[in-house]
Amino acid sequence: MAFLQTGFAKRLLALYGIVFVLVLFVTDWTLSRYLQQRDLQQLQSSLTHQTTLIREIATPLLGDVPRLQSEIKKLSEVIRLRITVIDPEGAILADSSETVEGLSKMDNHATRPEVAAALRKETGISIRYSMTVRTRMLYVALPVLDRERVLGVVRASMPVTRVDEILSSVSRPVIFTALLGILVVVGAGMIFSHQLTKRIRRITSVAERYAREDWSEKILMDGRDELKMLAVTMNQMAATLRSRIEDLETEKEKLSVILSNMTEGVIAISRRKQCVMANPAAEKIFEFSAAGAQSKGLIEITRHPLLEQIVDQAFRDQKTVSGEIQLSGKIKKILRVNVIVLESHVRDIGGILVFHDMTELRRLENIRREFVANVSHELRTPLTTIKGFIETLLDGAAKDPATREKFLKIVAEETGRLGRLVEDVLTLGEIEQGVALLRKETVDLASELPMILERFKLRLQERRISVENRLSGKPLEVSGDRDKIHQVFVNLLDNAIKFNKPEGRITVWSEQESKGITVTIEDTGTGIPEDSLERVFERFFRADKSHSKELGGTGLGLAIVKHIMEAHGGHASCQSTLGQGARFSVFFPS
Ligand SMILES: Nc1ncnc2c1ncn2[C@@H]1O[C@H](COP(=O)(O)OP(=O)(O)O)[C@@H](O)[C@H]1O
Ligand SMILES: [Mg+2]
């Protein structure tokens, strides 16, 4: 019965009830009226006929009252009517319900409506309460006429209760029908409204899912009525809505994927310079969270007055303005910002700020500039020396054989350095041009290294430096460019000899791990001061400038090592204890 609680079913049932009771009431009322009328008419006409018959019997007996009385009594018993005969003055001559003695006590009946009408030679009909028989009676009175003269009145009467009886007998089935009807109506109403409520519930529950954007279910509805039509329409609506929402979401996703994967920072601002949206790159640049930045002022999240000025200028001039700003912080970031002004405000967005991080570019530019300056400087020194000595020779120094030889030796040495420098710069440039130029082949370090050491044989002997090669034996294969790998070991061994002390040692060994192979070259030389350890791989960096130059170094050897290793996907590193030696390792990934 839970569904009765729902307003819908309750109201429907109440409406049914009211309509049904009303219909019943009206039917009952009209039916009773109609039956009463009809019955009364029938009763009247039959009583009139009977009275006419009685008049025929009574007329010849008018002169003989005792006989009249007894005849009437007999007749009354047969036809079960009360019969009264009245003289023209209204006195009772005979009455079927009275004894002869009682007749004289009866009132004059001339004023009774039906008798009065009969005395006027009309048919008198009346319904009234009779004191004599104590019940409601129907009276019909007819005049007894002798030509135009009224000789008396014959009146017959019967209780009207019979009509009521008939009516009540009609009422009972009506009430029964009514009760049955109410039962049927309530029952049918309950079933119907239950059915209806159930179907409406089904629509509501699916509609609630739709509201939560859950499209997993369709409204299943049987029948061919309005509810079915509603269900079909709602299903169509849901399908359209779903595809629309999905389209929008894909669009939104696309946009957000683009924005969040951009390396450029993007901040959308309103005309009042409030942050409307920012992508992750922008969050990272200015170190804020976009969620907290919503509707905050641009200056608040970027803390950069110059940026604000650029934005102001763009809004004032109504055109795109670019500028470069520098961010203070751990790393001094250099950003190029483009402020794009939107002509029509789209969803409160008045301008878009795009930030390109120029830090790395500027850093590389600086390195290059420095490198060019360094190269020029490194080239100029030997050239100046060469020029000086040649000029001195030309000025006459050439005449003295000893001086000439000494000067020419210096010139040859400097030319050699110049050659090495040019060679090293070219090598660096070549490696920097990219990995693509590297040839890939399998190089067995265990068999290559003795060949490289062979090249240094003379120098090693000269300085009485011993080499311990622990690689000998098993093949040690790495993948890479054979010539470049040679260069790595040549440069490292060159340093290990150059910076070693006389009668020192060089040890070479390898370690094989799952990630790759590490080869280490250790010497017993001067070592590297701790604060220079980080920088030895930089171009032109020498821990001891004059000493290195004396030894004929270019300062590019380790930079070349580092670049070659990185081009192979590996790296180079160094460890050292000042005064005791240095240990350089190179790692080749497998
Ligand atoms: N084995 C080593 N022992 C001590 N110092 C070294 C060693 N190898 C390199 N260095 C230091 O690193 C600097 C850079 O080396 P490198 O790039 O090969 O230049 P160069 O050999 O021309 O001086 C050297 O000048 C030197 O100071
Ligand atoms: Mg070197």
Side-chain angles (χ1 to χ4, degrees):
M1 293 304 252
F3 71 91
L4 267 180
Q5 250 105 57
T6 59
F8 183 70
K10 230 185 197 170
R11 264 180 283 161
L12 208 66
L13 266 183
L15 195 71
Y16 281 158
I18 290 168
V19 168
F20 190 77
V21 167
L22 255 164
V23 167
L24 211 68
F25 186 76
V26 171
T27 312
D28 186 52
W29 189 73
T30 20
L31 198 65
S32 330
R33 289 275 303 194
Y34 169 72
L35 285 176
Q36 214 168 8
Q37 288 288 318
R38 202 193 58 175
D39 229 60
L40 220 56
Q41 264 166 21
Q42 269 180 11
L43 222 58
Q44 274 175 18
S45 77
S46 95
L47 197 60
T48 311
H49 286 310
Q50 281 170 307
T51 314
T52 317
L53 263 173
I54 295 164
R55 186 175 62 179
E56 290 311 309
I57 295 164
T59 308
L61 297 172
L62 271 182
D64 183 355
V65 173
R67 223 184 121 198
L68 183 68
Q69 173 69 14
S70 72
E71 286 299 316
I72 276 172
K73 260 223 151 94
K74 266 191 261 168
L75 200 60
S76 160
E77 262 155 40
V78 176
I79 57 171
R80 298 173 56 77
L81 292 174
R82 181 186 166 194
I83 302 165
T84 315
V85 182
I86 302 153
D87 76 358
E89 271 71 50
I92 309 290
L93 291 178
D95 192 299
S96 59
S97 57
E98 286 290 335
T99 53
V100 184
E101 298 83 58
L103 286 176
S104 53
K105 288 180 199 143
M106 286 179 76
D107 317 331
N108 185 292
H109 272 49
T111 54
R112 300 288 199 276
E114 71 279 1
V115 177
L119 290 174
R120 288 195 305 272
K121 298 179 212 165
E122 290 164 16
T123 305
I125 296 170
S126 165
I127 298 169
R128 131 176 94 68
Y129 190 82
S130 157
M131 294 303 280
T132 328
V133 286
R134 298 188 185 281
T135 179
R136 240 159 65 87
M137 300 287 283
L138 169 65
Y139 297 94
V140 172
L142 291 175
V144 180
L145 294 172
D146 177 27
R147 286 194 193 109
E148 286 306 300
R149 206 161 56 88
V150 179
L151 294 179
V153 172
V154 172
R155 186 182 79 167
S157 64
M158 65 182 289
V160 194
T161 42
R162 270 187 57 207
V163 177
D164 295 336
E165 264 165 40
I166 292 166
L167 274 183
S168 75
S169 73
V170 167
S171 257
R172 223 169 298 138
V174 167
I175 287 167
F176 177 72
T177 315
L179 282 174
L180 198 75
I182 283 177
L183 261 166
V184 168
V185 162
V186 168
M190 266 154 82
I191 291 167
F192 174 68
S193 67
H194 180 59
Q195 214 64 10
L196 201 65
T197 317
K198 222 168 77 184
R199 296 171 75 205
I200 290 174
R201 280 262 179 84
R202 207 177 305 154
I203 296 181
T204 321
S205 84
V206 179
E208 273 167 2
R209 276 167 183 267
Y210 289 169
R212 278 184 270 117
E213 280 181 41
D214 171 1
W215 315 105
S216 60
E217 242 176 78
K218 264 187 156 192
I219 307 171
L220 296 173
M221 187 62 60
D222 32 49
R224 298 165 71 183
D225 55 3
E226 287 85 347
L227 281 183
K228 171 79 179 175
M229 273 160 63
L230 179 65
V232 168
T233 316
M234 276 185 69
N235 283 337
Q236 282 170 350
M237 193 183 74
T240 321
L241 218 59
R242 179 188 182 166
S243 80
R244 278 280 168 80
I245 289 175
E246 273 171 2
D247 283 354
L248 278 176
E249 257 159 23
T250 354
E251 281 304 306
K252 211 176 128 185
E253 245 164 58
K254 269 191 225 159
L255 205 69
S256 109
V257 164
I258 294 169
L259 275 175
S260 51
N261 286 296
M262 271 174 85
T263 42
E264 284 83 8
V266 178
I267 297 178
I269 54 167
S270 66
R271 279 265 154 188
R272 282 181 285 128
K273 288 185 285 179
Q274 276 174 329
C275 174
V276 179
M277 187 231 77
N279 73 344
E283 289 177 41
K284 222 172 107 191
I285 292 170
F286 294 103
E287 289 164 359
F288 66 90
S289 90
Q294 286 284 343
S295 77
K296 267 195 187 164
L298 183 66
I299 189 88
E300 242 179 296
I301 55 169
T302 62
R303 300 175 299 275
H304 207 290
L306 180 61
L307 177 63
E308 179 116 348
Q309 279 176 28
I310 298 170
V311 171
D312 283 339
Q313 193 197 334
F315 277 160
R316 198 174 47 238
D317 300 349
Q318 282 294 299
K319 61 168 198 194
T320 304
V321 175
S322 305
E324 206 162 284
I325 60 168
Q326 206 171 21
L327 297 186
S328 49
K330 246 187 281 161
I331 315 154
K332 287 211 164 22
K333 271 188 214 157
I334 301 162
L335 300 174
R336 171 148 209 91
V337 55
N338 285 318
V339 181
I340 301 145
V341 180
L342 300 186
E343 275 175 23
S344 54
H345 306 202
V346 187
R347 303 212 169 231
D348 205 31
I349 297 175
I352 296 169
L353 279 59
V354 183
F355 300 91
H356 304 266
D357 194 340
M358 308 292 279
T359 321
E360 186 60 15
L361 198 70
R362 291 280 180 271
R363 195 181 70 85
L364 290 176
E365 274 173 15
N366 273 341
I367 289 173
R368 194 152 297 273
R369 205 174 303 133
E370 234 169 70
F371 180 67
V372 171
N374 275 330
V375 170
S376 318
H377 178 76
E378 296 285 335
L379 287 173
R380 197 185 301 131
T381 323
L383 275 176
T384 316
T385 317
I386 293 167
K387 194 178 166 223
F389 281 103
I390 288 176
E391 275 168 3
T392 321
L393 282 172
L394 287 175
D395 282 349
K399 284 173 192 142
D400 174 28
T403 318
R404 188 177 58 206
E405 199 187 321
K406 189 181 151 204
F407 280 16
L408 282 176
K409 247 188 187 162
I410 295 171
V411 168
E413 225 169 77
E414 290 298 316
T415 316
R417 184 204 298 279
L418 216 55
R420 282 196 299 281
L421 191 64
V422 171
E423 200 67 39
D424 281 356
V425 170
L426 286 175
T427 310
L428 257 183
E430 197 188 320
I431 302 159
E432 277 197 345
Q433 265 176 35
V435 188
L437 292 172
L438 283 179
R439 270 182 298 154
K440 285 266 174 185
E441 52 200 319
T442 307
V443 183
D444 176 18
L445 296 179
S447 64
E448 295 293 325
L449 210 76
M451 294 198 292
I452 300 165
L453 279 169
E454 193 61 32
R455 288 204 220 163
F456 293 98
K457 203 175 170 185
L458 218 70
R459 274 177 71 196
L460 286 166
Q461 275 174 2
E462 266 173 29
R463 306 201 61 203
R464 279 170 301 168
I465 292 168
S466 60
V467 176
E468 188 189 338
N469 179 8
R470 296 190 192 156
L471 295 191
S472 43
K474 283 181 281 170
L476 198 64
E477 287 180 342
V478 297
S479 152
D481 188 311
R482 184 187 305 269
D483 289 345
K484 298 287 183 293
I485 292 171
H486 266 230
Q487 178 95 59
V488 167
F489 288 108
V490 166
N491 287 8
L492 291 179
L493 284 169
D494 177 61
N495 286 351
I497 296 167
K498 225 167 42 176
F499 299 107
N500 220 324
K501 58 183 182 216
E503 291 177 43
R505 277 167 67 87
I506 294 174
T507 319
V508 183
W509 73 87
S510 72
E511 285 155 285
Q512 184 142 22
E513 297 160 50
S514 59
K515 284 184 200 159
I517 293 167
T518 307
V519 180
T520 308
I521 297 172
E522 193 184 59
D523 63 59
T524 52
T526 53
I528 303 158
E530 210 182 318
D531 58 341
S532 300
L533 272 177
E534 287 244 313
R535 304 190 56 194
V536 287
F537 291 101
E538 284 177 18
R539 293 156 182 175
F540 298 113
F541 179 83
R542 295 138 171 138
D544 182 342
K545 204 150 202 145
S546 56
H547 184 56
S548 164
K549 284 202 172 168
E550 241 169 63
L551 297 171
T554 59
L556 290 175
L558 287 181
I560 291 170
V561 167
K562 181 188 153 192
H563 275 89
I564 292 176
M565 288 318 296
E566 281 175 359
H568 280 86
H571 54 79
S573 61
C574 89
Q575 290 171 299
S576 172
T577 316
L578 194 62
Q580 288 184 16
R583 183 188 285 180
F584 283 83
S585 298
V586 283
F587 170 76
F588 294 89
S590 47

